[in-house]
Amino acid sequence: MSFTLFSSRKSEVAQIETAGLDHHDDALDVEAKGYADASIQKENQAVLDSDEAQVIQRKYLRKLDFIICPTISFLYFFEYLDRGNVANAKLYGLDKGHDTSNGGVGPGKQSLSATQWEVVIMLFYVGLILFQVPGCIGYRLVSPSKWIAFSVCFWCITSMLQDVATNYASLLVCRIFLGAFEGLFGTGIVYYLSIWYHRTELGLKVFWYLGPTAIAGAFGGLIAYGVGHIKRSTPQWKWLFLIEALPGFCLGLFCLYWLPDRPMKNSRFKGKYQEVAVARYHAETVDRTGPIQQKHVIWAIQDWKLYAQALIYFPTAALLSSISGFLPTIVAQLQGFLYPSVLSIPIVPPYACAFVLMFVTSWTSDRYRDRGMHIVGLSAISAICFLIIANLAEDALHAKYALICLSTACVYSTYPPSHAWAANNFGNETKRAIGLGIYTALGNMGSIAGSFFYPTTDGPIYRKGHYLSFGMSLAALVFSLVNSLTLRAVNRYRDKKYGKPVPGLAIDVTDNADNLPMFRFIT
């Protein structure tokens, strides 16, 4: 899609010239509508539109994808492993008494209560929420490669420190710091991607960031299955934390060398590749990124779109946290499907289905410039699944398992388009950094709520949890539909009042962000 934009840019820039942009009055009119200066348009044309430039662009994009996409995929893979492995560790005795053979964190020979375990799951999200806004701003103020390396290495250290937790309090301290460092890392990745890729490329790129949540869920079960065969005096749950944190720490250090920082200033691209990076950065919008302006912070906080997006993310986050925290336990109770081990292969298919559907959804949401209706469709299917599961008989194992696979896939597949949608519609970098931080912090309050959906005392049917999940899916559907229809109405209003934007021409969002007459929202 981006190559179509490149190939058509020359004729579009010619439209500006033939329309009389060199005439003073016309130039003022174009500036008022928010188009970037004609000299920038011509400079982009010179870099992007020659036959040689087409070849360079393809090589540049391949190199950019090779550097960024696998790296963020592996980073979030390890983050999600470290976030969700506490549920698998519970199956190996983390919640058991410290004086038992499991060497858990319970007092003496007593296990943690169901409420205490819910707090263990929940407290991670408290740390995550508190540090998401500072985390996103950090990407704006500090070199992204350094910020990523710092946050990744420290969350991995914190994850490994769970091995020395000897009581409930020490585990809670580890969990809240784990959430804090993951908040510093994860929130800003979508912002980081948005400075390298165009708005209509962002859905698939966000998939490469968030897709590993599904892979991590599947591999987490497989790793836990393998750990279950380690026969040592050290409790098995400790091996789980160690094995899953060490590779992430090494990758975090590697990011200092490997990841580029910003298109305008980076150490990974030189010569013509650097020219292409800058031209692409200016191809859709021109943002002369300088110090953070107070008005952009205020605009972000006052922007109704921020809270509309947070309303969509809240139920999604609740569903995701409930799935990652309790799916192993729920699947373990579908006795007809399990091997004799405590954790086994049936945990993998729900996440495998999720990964495939996430990819398809992300690609089509870019292809058709649509986020909202994708979320509406997926939420409708997941709502139906949860409603049916809640009313199935206890022994309907085959039907329950199939519906768990489908509902998990649909819930996870709303994740990339919802994040890309939020990033798409904040007009400049400062609004995007502030807005995405607040958006994820507010939305992740749903993660705290989701931690309490499936208490172990409700097993094996978990009817209340399934009804709550049905309600969350229905809420995501309604909020997405309303937001999409509202943004379409705003676009139509701007088209009618200011005329339709010239396709492919950059607008200058430095001062007015998405308030520009020619800015159009992705719906």
Side-chain angles (χ1 to χ4, degrees):
M1 196 165 192
S2 59
F3 295 126
T4 303
L5 175 65
F6 294 148
S7 63
S8 63
R9 186 177 308 280
K10 187 172 183 178
S11 62
E12 290 158 351
V13 173
Q15 290 180 36
I16 289 185
E17 295 174 341
T18 56
L21 281 190
D22 293 329
H23 189 276
H24 180 68
D25 292 338
D26 290 334
L28 288 177
D29 180 61
V30 168
E31 183 180 347
K33 290 183 177 181
Y35 286 116
D37 188 88
S39 63
I40 295 178
Q41 311 283 4
K42 292 178 182 179
E43 182 180 343
N44 289 349
Q45 175 189 349
V47 174
L48 298 175
D49 289 339
S50 69
D51 292 337
E52 180 186 4
Q54 294 292 318
V55 176
I56 295 173
Q57 289 164 42
R58 292 185 179 92
K59 291 181 179 179
Y60 162 79
L61 283 172
R62 283 196 295 268
K63 185 175 181 179
L64 182 66
D65 288 345
F66 176 74
I67 292 172
I68 291 181
C69 292
T71 306
I72 63 170
S73 291
F74 278 114
L75 287 172
Y76 204 64
F77 170 81
F78 288 119
E79 178 186 330
Y80 218 74
L81 274 183
D82 291 339
R83 175 186 302 194
N85 59 13
V86 69
N88 293 326
K90 177 176 182 283
L91 297 176
Y92 286 125
L94 172 63
D95 65 325
K96 304 302 182 185
H98 184 64
D99 295 334
T100 65
S101 60
N102 296 109
V105 297
K109 295 184 181 296
Q110 297 179 15
S111 299
L112 298 180
S113 67
T115 301
Q116 286 176 316
W117 184 252
E118 288 169 348
V119 173
V120 169
I121 299 295
M122 178 271 293
L123 205 59
F124 165 86
Y125 294 103
V126 173
L128 187 74
I129 289 168
L130 290 176
F131 282 84
Q132 285 188 311
V133 175
C136 213
I137 295 173
Y139 279 85
R140 175 72 170 77
L141 299 177
V142 181
S143 299
S145 60
K146 293 182 177 65
W147 190 257
I148 289 171
F150 163 76
S151 53
V152 169
C153 289
F154 274 90
W155 103 53
C156 291
I157 290 171
T158 305
S159 183
M160 288 185 281
L161 285 175
Q162 291 175 105
D163 279 352
V164 298
T166 57
N167 53 48
Y168 180 56
S170 58
L171 179 62
L172 293 183
V173 171
C174 288
R175 292 294 294 172
I176 196 167
F177 274 97
L178 183 67
F181 287 118
E182 290 192 13
L184 293 178
F185 161 74
T187 308
I189 288 291
V190 176
Y191 163 79
Y192 176 63
L193 290 171
S194 72
I195 65 179
W196 287 100
Y197 293 99
H198 293 163
R199 293 203 297 163
T200 52
E201 299 168 347
L202 199 56
L204 196 55
K205 304 310 174 185
V206 172
F207 161 77
W208 289 116
Y209 162 51
L210 298 176
T213 58
I215 297 296
F219 270 83
L222 292 175
I223 293 170
Y225 178 69
V227 167
H229 291 77
I230 297 176
K231 305 301 180 183
R232 294 288 187 273
S233 59
T234 303
Q236 291 169 325
W237 61 266
K238 293 191 177 184
W239 287 103
L240 194 63
F241 289 131
L242 185 65
I243 290 170
E244 293 181 352
L246 272 176
F249 179 83
C250 296
L251 183 58
L253 290 178
F254 180 64
C255 288
L256 284 170
Y257 156 77
W258 184 246
L259 286 178
D261 289 318
R262 307 180 66 83
M264 304 299 291
K265 182 182 180 181
N266 67 81
S267 58
R268 302 296 293 146
F269 301 105
K270 304 294 183 183
K272 292 183 178 179
Y273 289 135
Q274 170 65 10
E275 293 178 3
V276 170
V278 173
R280 273 180 53 86
Y281 180 70
H282 289 158
E284 289 186 315
T285 59
V286 173
D287 187 354
R288 298 178 180 87
T289 309
I292 291 178
Q293 295 186 40
Q294 182 179 359
K295 69 175 183 179
H296 293 148
V297 176
I298 295 172
W299 288 357
I301 295 172
Q302 294 177 342
D303 195 337
W304 66 268
K305 299 187 299 298
L306 164 61
Y307 303 100
Q309 293 290 162
L311 282 174
I312 296 166
Y313 185 39
F314 182 96
T316 301
L319 291 167
L320 287 167
S321 72
S322 66
I323 289 172
S324 64
F326 298 99
L327 184 60
T329 301
I330 294 172
V331 172
Q333 293 182 349
L334 300 179
Q335 296 295 329
F337 281 81
L338 286 177
Y339 297 96
S341 61
V342 66
L343 186 70
S344 194
I345 304 303
I347 198 69
V348 176
Y351 289 116
C353 294
F355 183 82
V356 173
L357 188 58
M358 285 174 82
F359 176 82
V360 173
T361 300
S362 300
W363 184 85
T364 56
S365 72
D366 276 351
R367 175 68 177 82
Y368 297 104
R369 293 177 58 90
D370 172 86
R371 312 295 187 204
M373 292 305 170
H374 279 70
I375 299 174
V376 167
L378 293 165
S379 298
I381 297 171
S382 65
I384 293 170
C385 289
F386 285 121
L387 187 61
I388 295 174
I389 295 172
N391 290 281
L392 284 175
E394 184 177 344
D395 60 350
L397 298 179
H398 289 78
K400 282 187 177 182
Y401 187 67
L403 289 168
I404 284 174
C405 289
L406 181 57
S407 60
T408 300
C410 288
V411 168
Y412 271 78
S413 296
T414 63
Y415 207 9
S418 64
H419 277 48
W421 201 6
N424 285 156
N425 292 331
F426 293 118
N428 65 13
E429 284 198 29
T430 299
K431 274 200 72 175
R432 203 175 308 133
I434 302 296
L436 284 174
I438 299 173
Y439 153 76
T440 49
L442 293 175
N444 269 319
M445 290 182 182
S447 301
I448 296 178
S451 302
F452 297 92
F453 280 11
Y454 292 96
T456 53
T457 52
D458 285 355
I461 298 178
Y462 295 102
R463 181 169 284 116
K464 182 179 74 173
H466 295 317
Y467 274 121
L468 286 170
S469 296
F470 162 74
M472 291 294 104
S473 296
L474 200 61
L477 185 158
V478 172
F479 293 143
S480 297
L481 181 61
V482 171
N483 193 47
S484 180
L485 293 177
T486 303
L487 290 173
R488 290 169 193 265
V490 173
N491 285 345
R492 287 195 300 270
Y493 170 80
R494 290 188 177 183
D495 284 347
K496 183 177 180 181
K497 184 173 182 178
Y498 305 109
K500 293 186 177 181
V502 178
L505 292 184
I507 57 175
D508 192 332
V509 297
T510 305
D511 291 323
N512 292 319
D514 46 89
N515 294 326
L516 288 171
M518 289 297 113
F519 190 94
R520 295 296 178 269
F521 300 105
I522 289 183
T523 61

